[in-house]
Amino acid sequence: MKLKNILIAAAMTVISAASMQAGAPPTVMVLPDKTWCNKNDYVTRTERNGKTRVTEKYDEAFLNSDLKNVVVQLNNLLKENGLPPKDFGATSELDDDEEAEEELFEGAESGSELAQDPYEAALNKLKPDIILKIGWDVTKVGFNYTVSYRLEALDSYSGKSIAAVTAETPTVKTTVPLAACIKNAATEHMSNFAAKLQEHFDDIQENGREITLTCRIIGNGDGTNFNTEFGGEELSNIIHNWLNDNTVNHVFSQRNATRNRLQFEQIRIPLKDSRGVVFQARQFVTQLQKYLQATYGIRAENTTKGLGSGRLYFGEK
Protein backbone atom coordinates (compact mmCIF):
# COMPACT_ATOMS: atom_id res chain seq x y z
CA MET A 1 0.00 0.00 0.00
CA LYS A 2 1.34 3.41 -0.95
CA LEU A 3 2.25 5.84 1.81
CA LYS A 4 -0.47 8.26 0.60
CA ASN A 5 -3.15 5.59 0.89
CA ILE A 6 -1.89 4.56 4.34
CA LEU A 7 -2.08 8.16 5.56
CA ILE A 8 -5.59 8.60 4.11
CA ALA A 9 -6.77 5.36 5.75
CA ALA A 10 -5.27 6.39 9.08
CA ALA A 11 -6.89 9.82 8.86
CA MET A 12 -10.29 8.29 8.08
CA THR A 13 -9.94 5.96 11.06
CA VAL A 14 -9.20 8.89 13.37
CA ILE A 15 -12.14 10.89 11.99
CA SER A 16 -14.49 7.91 12.33
CA ALA A 17 -13.40 7.27 15.93
CA ALA A 18 -13.82 10.94 16.81
CA SER A 19 -17.32 10.96 15.29
CA MET A 20 -18.36 7.90 17.30
CA GLN A 21 -17.08 9.46 20.51
CA ALA A 22 -18.85 12.74 19.81
CA GLY A 23 -22.17 11.03 19.19
CA ALA A 24 -24.86 12.00 16.73
CA PRO A 25 -26.28 15.53 16.97
CA PRO A 26 -29.94 15.99 17.92
CA THR A 27 -32.47 17.04 15.29
CA VAL A 28 -34.26 20.30 16.04
CA MET A 29 -37.60 21.69 14.83
CA VAL A 30 -38.42 25.39 15.19
CA LEU A 31 -42.01 26.35 16.02
CA PRO A 32 -43.60 29.64 17.10
CA ASP A 33 -44.40 29.77 20.79
CA LYS A 34 -47.95 30.04 22.10
CA THR A 35 -47.57 33.70 23.11
CA TRP A 36 -46.60 34.72 19.56
CA CYS A 37 -49.37 32.59 18.04
CA ASN A 38 -51.95 34.10 20.38
CA LYS A 39 -50.82 37.66 19.71
CA ASN A 40 -51.00 37.09 15.96
CA ASP A 41 -54.34 35.23 16.12
CA TYR A 42 -53.02 31.81 15.07
CA VAL A 43 -54.90 29.92 17.79
CA THR A 44 -58.20 28.20 18.39
CA ARG A 45 -60.08 28.24 21.69
CA THR A 46 -62.22 25.38 22.93
CA GLU A 47 -64.20 25.02 26.15
CA ARG A 48 -64.07 21.81 28.15
CA ASN A 49 -65.13 21.23 31.74
CA GLY A 50 -65.28 24.96 32.32
CA LYS A 51 -61.72 25.55 31.10
CA THR A 52 -60.56 27.28 27.92
CA ARG A 53 -57.92 25.44 25.94
CA VAL A 54 -55.77 27.50 23.55
CA THR A 55 -54.28 25.52 20.67
CA GLU A 56 -51.81 26.82 18.08
CA LYS A 57 -52.67 26.76 14.36
CA TYR A 58 -49.20 26.02 12.97
CA ASP A 59 -50.23 25.52 9.35
CA GLU A 60 -51.69 29.02 9.22
CA ALA A 61 -48.84 30.51 11.25
CA PHE A 62 -46.27 29.33 8.72
CA LEU A 63 -48.04 31.35 6.04
CA ASN A 64 -46.86 34.43 7.94
CA SER A 65 -43.85 35.74 5.99
CA ASP A 66 -42.08 37.12 9.09
CA LEU A 67 -42.28 33.76 10.87
CA LYS A 68 -41.21 31.86 7.77
CA ASN A 69 -38.18 34.11 7.25
CA VAL A 70 -37.20 33.94 10.93
CA VAL A 71 -37.40 30.13 10.92
CA VAL A 72 -35.29 29.94 7.74
CA GLN A 73 -32.59 32.09 9.37
CA LEU A 74 -32.71 30.08 12.60
CA ASN A 75 -32.46 26.82 10.66
CA ASN A 76 -29.33 28.15 8.95
CA LEU A 77 -27.94 29.15 12.33
CA LEU A 78 -28.64 25.68 13.70
CA LYS A 79 -26.84 24.08 10.75
CA GLU A 80 -23.83 26.33 11.32
CA ASN A 81 -23.70 25.03 14.89
CA GLY A 82 -23.92 21.37 13.91
CA LEU A 83 -27.61 20.83 14.67
CA PRO A 84 -29.66 19.42 11.76
CA PRO A 85 -33.05 21.19 11.58
CA LYS A 86 -36.37 19.67 10.58
CA ASP A 87 -38.52 22.24 8.80
CA PHE A 88 -42.22 22.04 9.65
CA GLY A 89 -43.09 24.66 7.06
CA ALA A 90 -41.47 22.64 4.26
CA THR A 91 -43.62 19.52 4.67
CA SER A 92 -45.65 18.56 1.62
CA GLU A 93 -49.42 18.76 1.18
CA LEU A 94 -49.39 14.99 0.77
CA ASP A 95 -48.00 14.62 4.30
CA ASP A 96 -50.75 16.91 5.57
CA ASP A 97 -53.43 14.81 3.89
CA GLU A 98 -52.05 11.59 5.35
CA GLU A 99 -51.84 13.18 8.77
CA ALA A 100 -55.45 14.31 8.60
CA GLU A 101 -56.55 10.74 7.92
CA GLU A 102 -54.74 9.53 11.03
CA GLU A 103 -56.04 12.16 13.43
CA LEU A 104 -58.93 9.90 14.39
CA PHE A 105 -57.96 6.54 15.85
CA GLU A 106 -60.64 3.86 15.93
CA GLY A 107 -60.28 1.50 18.89
CA ALA A 108 -60.26 -2.15 17.92
CA GLU A 109 -63.31 -2.96 20.08
CA SER A 110 -64.38 0.10 21.98
CA GLY A 111 -64.72 2.37 18.96
CA SER A 112 -63.07 5.15 20.96
CA GLU A 113 -61.62 8.06 19.03
CA LEU A 114 -58.18 9.48 19.65
CA ALA A 115 -57.57 12.94 18.19
CA GLN A 116 -54.18 14.59 17.95
CA ASP A 117 -53.80 18.31 18.49
CA PRO A 118 -51.60 20.26 16.01
CA TYR A 119 -48.56 20.11 18.31
CA GLU A 120 -48.75 16.32 18.68
CA ALA A 121 -49.36 15.99 14.95
CA ALA A 122 -46.27 18.08 14.22
CA LEU A 123 -44.12 15.92 16.47
CA ASN A 124 -45.48 12.68 15.02
CA LYS A 125 -44.90 13.90 11.48
CA LEU A 126 -41.25 14.98 11.78
CA LYS A 127 -40.14 13.28 15.02
CA PRO A 128 -37.52 15.83 16.10
CA ASP A 129 -35.42 15.25 19.19
CA ILE A 130 -35.80 18.83 20.37
CA ILE A 131 -38.40 21.56 19.82
CA LEU A 132 -37.11 25.14 19.63
CA LYS A 133 -39.88 27.63 20.43
CA ILE A 134 -39.41 31.19 19.12
CA GLY A 135 -41.38 34.33 19.88
CA TRP A 136 -40.77 38.06 19.65
CA ASP A 137 -42.21 41.55 20.11
CA VAL A 138 -41.25 44.54 17.98
CA THR A 139 -40.93 48.08 19.36
CA LYS A 140 -40.72 50.83 16.74
CA VAL A 141 -39.34 54.29 17.40
CA GLY A 142 -39.37 56.53 14.35
CA PHE A 143 -37.29 54.92 11.62
CA ASN A 144 -35.71 52.44 14.04
CA TYR A 145 -36.89 49.39 15.92
CA THR A 146 -35.79 46.86 18.51
CA VAL A 147 -36.92 43.27 19.04
CA SER A 148 -37.45 41.51 22.36
CA TYR A 149 -37.13 37.84 21.51
CA ARG A 150 -37.25 34.55 23.37
CA LEU A 151 -35.94 31.08 22.55
CA GLU A 152 -36.73 27.96 24.53
CA ALA A 153 -35.60 24.42 23.75
CA LEU A 154 -37.90 21.60 24.87
CA ASP A 155 -37.35 17.85 24.86
CA SER A 156 -39.91 16.60 22.32
CA TYR A 157 -40.69 13.47 24.38
CA SER A 158 -40.92 14.77 27.95
CA GLY A 159 -41.74 18.41 27.18
CA LYS A 160 -39.11 19.52 29.70
CA SER A 161 -37.17 22.74 29.16
CA ILE A 162 -33.52 22.21 28.20
CA ALA A 163 -32.29 25.75 27.59
CA ALA A 164 -33.77 29.22 27.26
CA VAL A 165 -32.70 32.68 26.13
CA THR A 166 -34.55 35.99 26.47
CA ALA A 167 -32.85 39.07 25.07
CA GLU A 168 -33.30 42.29 23.14
CA THR A 169 -31.68 43.17 19.86
CA PRO A 170 -29.71 46.38 19.32
CA THR A 171 -31.63 49.26 17.74
CA VAL A 172 -31.63 48.92 13.95
CA LYS A 173 -33.05 50.77 10.97
CA THR A 174 -36.46 49.71 9.70
CA THR A 175 -34.74 48.83 6.43
CA VAL A 176 -33.07 45.87 8.20
CA PRO A 177 -35.25 42.73 7.79
CA LEU A 178 -36.71 41.33 11.00
CA ALA A 179 -35.32 37.84 10.34
CA ALA A 180 -31.78 39.14 9.86
CA CYS A 181 -32.09 41.23 13.01
CA ILE A 182 -33.13 38.25 15.13
CA LYS A 183 -30.51 35.95 13.60
CA ASN A 184 -27.71 38.45 14.24
CA ALA A 185 -28.80 38.88 17.85
CA ALA A 186 -29.25 35.14 18.43
CA THR A 187 -25.83 34.31 16.99
CA GLU A 188 -24.00 35.38 20.13
CA HIS A 189 -26.06 32.95 22.23
CA MET A 190 -26.24 30.05 19.81
CA SER A 191 -22.88 28.42 20.54
CA ASN A 192 -23.65 28.01 24.24
CA PHE A 193 -27.29 27.18 23.43
CA ALA A 194 -26.25 24.44 20.98
CA ALA A 195 -23.80 23.02 23.52
CA LYS A 196 -26.64 22.59 26.04
CA LEU A 197 -28.78 20.82 23.46
CA GLN A 198 -25.94 18.45 22.57
CA GLU A 199 -25.27 17.77 26.26
CA HIS A 200 -28.93 16.88 26.74
CA PHE A 201 -28.92 14.58 23.72
CA ASP A 202 -25.71 12.89 24.86
CA ASP A 203 -27.49 12.10 28.13
CA ILE A 204 -30.41 10.64 26.17
CA GLN A 205 -28.09 8.42 24.15
CA GLU A 206 -26.46 7.11 27.32
CA ASN A 207 -29.43 6.96 29.70
CA GLY A 208 -32.47 6.73 27.43
CA ARG A 209 -35.34 9.02 26.48
CA GLU A 210 -37.81 10.18 29.10
CA ILE A 211 -41.52 9.45 28.68
CA THR A 212 -44.66 9.20 30.81
CA LEU A 213 -47.22 6.40 31.08
CA THR A 214 -50.85 6.53 32.19
CA CYS A 215 -52.84 3.31 32.72
CA ARG A 216 -56.59 3.55 33.26
CA ILE A 217 -59.56 1.30 33.83
CA ILE A 218 -62.20 2.65 31.43
CA GLY A 219 -64.83 0.03 32.16
CA ASN A 220 -65.04 -2.47 34.99
CA GLY A 221 -68.05 -4.57 34.05
CA ASP A 222 -66.03 -7.66 34.89
CA GLY A 223 -64.84 -6.12 38.16
CA THR A 224 -61.20 -5.81 37.04
CA ASN A 225 -59.12 -2.98 38.48
CA PHE A 226 -55.45 -2.47 39.32
CA ASN A 227 -55.86 -4.31 42.62
CA THR A 228 -57.14 -7.43 40.85
CA GLU A 229 -54.74 -10.38 41.11
CA PHE A 230 -53.44 -12.37 38.15
CA GLY A 231 -51.27 -15.37 38.97
CA GLY A 232 -51.14 -14.26 42.59
CA GLU A 233 -49.90 -10.74 41.72
CA GLU A 234 -51.89 -7.50 41.64
CA LEU A 235 -52.12 -5.90 38.19
CA SER A 236 -50.47 -2.73 39.49
CA ASN A 237 -47.46 -4.73 40.69
CA ILE A 238 -47.27 -6.64 37.39
CA ILE A 239 -47.01 -3.35 35.49
CA HIS A 240 -44.55 -1.92 38.01
CA ASN A 241 -42.30 -4.98 37.77
CA TRP A 242 -42.39 -4.94 33.95
CA LEU A 243 -41.29 -1.31 33.93
CA ASN A 244 -38.46 -2.12 36.31
CA ASP A 245 -37.26 -4.87 33.96
CA ASN A 246 -37.60 -2.91 30.71
CA THR A 247 -36.43 0.63 31.45
CA VAL A 248 -32.87 1.86 30.98
CA ASN A 249 -31.02 1.34 34.29
CA HIS A 250 -34.45 0.60 35.88
CA VAL A 251 -35.19 4.35 35.98
CA PHE A 252 -38.82 5.45 36.41
CA SER A 253 -41.02 6.89 39.13
CA GLN A 254 -44.66 6.36 40.07
CA ARG A 255 -46.69 9.55 40.29
CA ASN A 256 -49.90 8.10 41.73
CA ALA A 257 -51.82 4.85 42.03
CA THR A 258 -55.51 4.17 42.61
CA ARG A 259 -57.79 1.23 41.88
CA ASN A 260 -58.59 2.67 38.45
CA ARG A 261 -55.58 4.78 37.51
CA LEU A 262 -51.78 4.43 37.49
CA GLN A 263 -49.39 7.17 36.43
CA PHE A 264 -45.66 6.83 35.89
CA GLU A 265 -43.19 9.51 34.87
CA GLN A 266 -39.45 9.96 34.23
CA ILE A 267 -39.53 6.60 32.46
CA ARG A 268 -36.26 6.08 30.61
CA ILE A 269 -36.67 4.05 27.43
CA PRO A 270 -33.94 3.09 24.92
CA LEU A 271 -33.13 5.60 22.20
CA LYS A 272 -33.52 2.86 19.58
CA ASP A 273 -34.97 -0.63 19.48
CA SER A 274 -33.10 -3.85 18.72
CA ARG A 275 -33.35 -3.11 14.98
CA GLY A 276 -31.80 0.33 15.34
CA VAL A 277 -35.13 2.09 14.75
CA VAL A 278 -35.90 5.19 16.83
CA PHE A 279 -37.98 4.12 19.84
CA GLN A 280 -41.12 6.00 20.85
CA ALA A 281 -43.65 5.76 23.65
CA ARG A 282 -46.14 3.93 21.42
CA GLN A 283 -43.69 1.10 20.68
CA PHE A 284 -42.73 0.86 24.35
CA VAL A 285 -46.38 0.67 25.45
CA THR A 286 -47.08 -1.91 22.74
CA GLN A 287 -44.42 -4.15 24.29
CA LEU A 288 -46.18 -3.88 27.67
CA GLN A 289 -49.54 -4.47 26.01
CA LYS A 290 -48.31 -7.67 24.32
CA TYR A 291 -46.66 -8.90 27.52
CA LEU A 292 -49.89 -8.56 29.52
CA GLN A 293 -51.89 -10.32 26.80
CA ALA A 294 -49.42 -13.18 26.29
CA THR A 295 -48.58 -13.80 29.95
CA TYR A 296 -51.84 -13.13 31.78
CA GLY A 297 -54.51 -12.89 29.07
CA ILE A 298 -55.08 -9.24 29.98
CA ARG A 299 -56.36 -7.17 27.09
CA ALA A 300 -55.70 -3.44 26.84
CA GLU A 301 -55.88 -0.68 24.24
CA ASN A 302 -52.80 1.38 23.37
CA THR A 303 -54.06 4.97 22.99
CA THR A 304 -50.67 6.68 23.08
CA LYS A 305 -50.55 10.24 21.75
CA GLY A 306 -47.47 12.15 20.67
CA LEU A 307 -43.92 10.89 21.01
CA GLY A 308 -43.57 10.60 24.76
CA SER A 309 -47.00 10.31 26.39
CA GLY A 310 -47.85 6.63 26.77
CA ARG A 311 -51.44 5.59 27.47
CA LEU A 312 -52.83 2.12 28.08
CA TYR A 313 -56.56 1.65 28.68
CA PHE A 314 -58.07 -1.48 30.22
CA GLY A 315 -61.71 -2.48 29.74
CA GLU A 316 -64.47 -1.20 27.48
CA LYS A 317 -66.31 2.09 27.45
Side-chain angles (χ1 to χ4, degrees), residues 85-100:
K86 291 196 171 186
D87 191 351
F88 174 86
T91 55
S92 68
E93 293 183 3
L94 178 60
D95 287 336
D96 292 337
D97 291 341
E98 291 177 349
E99 177 185 290

Side-chain angles (χ1 to χ4, degrees), residues 266-308:
Q266 299 177 319
I267 302 169
R268 290 286 192 146
I269 67 173
L271 181 68
K272 297 181 179 180
D273 64 17
S274 58
R275 302 167 297 164
V277 178
V278 173
F279 209 36
Q280 299 169 31
R282 174 169 288 278
Q283 286 75 35
F284 184 74
V285 173
T286 294
Q287 290 185 353
L288 172 58
Q289 179 188 27
K290 290 182 176 179
Y291 169 78
L292 294 174
Q293 172 68 41
T295 309
Y296 299 97
I298 302 171
R299 304 186 68 179
E301 183 179 352
N302 184 352
T303 61
T304 296
K305 296 172 63 178
L307 298 180

Side-chain angles (χ1 to χ4, degrees), residues 136-178:
W136 66 86
D137 297 293
V138 178
T139 301
K140 292 184 178 180
V141 180
F143 294 101
N144 302 318
Y145 74 95
T146 60
V147 180
S148 299
Y149 69 94
R150 52 198 176 271
L151 291 170
E152 184 178 20
L154 305 172
D155 182 282
S156 63
Y157 281 65
S158 68
K160 290 185 176 180
S161 180
I162 303 167
V165 172
T166 56
E168 186 171 303
T169 69
T171 301
V172 296
K173 299 289 186 181
T174 52
T175 54
V176 177
L178 172 68

Side-chain angles (χ1 to χ4, degrees), residues 107-110 216-219 222 224 226 230 235 239 288-302 312-316:
E109 294 183 354
S110 66
R216 294 188 63 183
I217 303 293
I218 59 174
D222 61 356
T224 299
F226 292 118
F230 296 87
L235 179 54
I239 294 172
L288 172 58
Q289 179 188 27
K290 290 182 176 179
Y291 169 78
L292 294 174
Q293 172 68 41
T295 309
Y296 299 97
I298 302 171
R299 304 186 68 179
E301 183 179 352
N302 184 352
L312 194 59
Y313 286 0
F314 298 78
E316 289 301 315

Side-chain angles (χ1 to χ4, degrees), residues 72-114:
V72 167
Q73 294 289 356
L74 285 178
N75 283 343
N76 289 334
L77 194 54
L78 290 168
K79 289 179 185 177
E80 292 169 6
N81 285 269
L83 299 173
K86 291 196 171 186
D87 191 351
F88 174 86
T91 55
S92 68
E93 293 183 3
L94 178 60
D95 287 336
D96 292 337
D97 291 341
E98 291 177 349
E99 177 185 290
E101 292 178 1
E102 295 177 356
E103 285 185 349
L104 294 180
F105 171 83
E106 295 293 336
E109 294 183 354
S110 66
S112 60
E113 294 183 347
L114 178 62

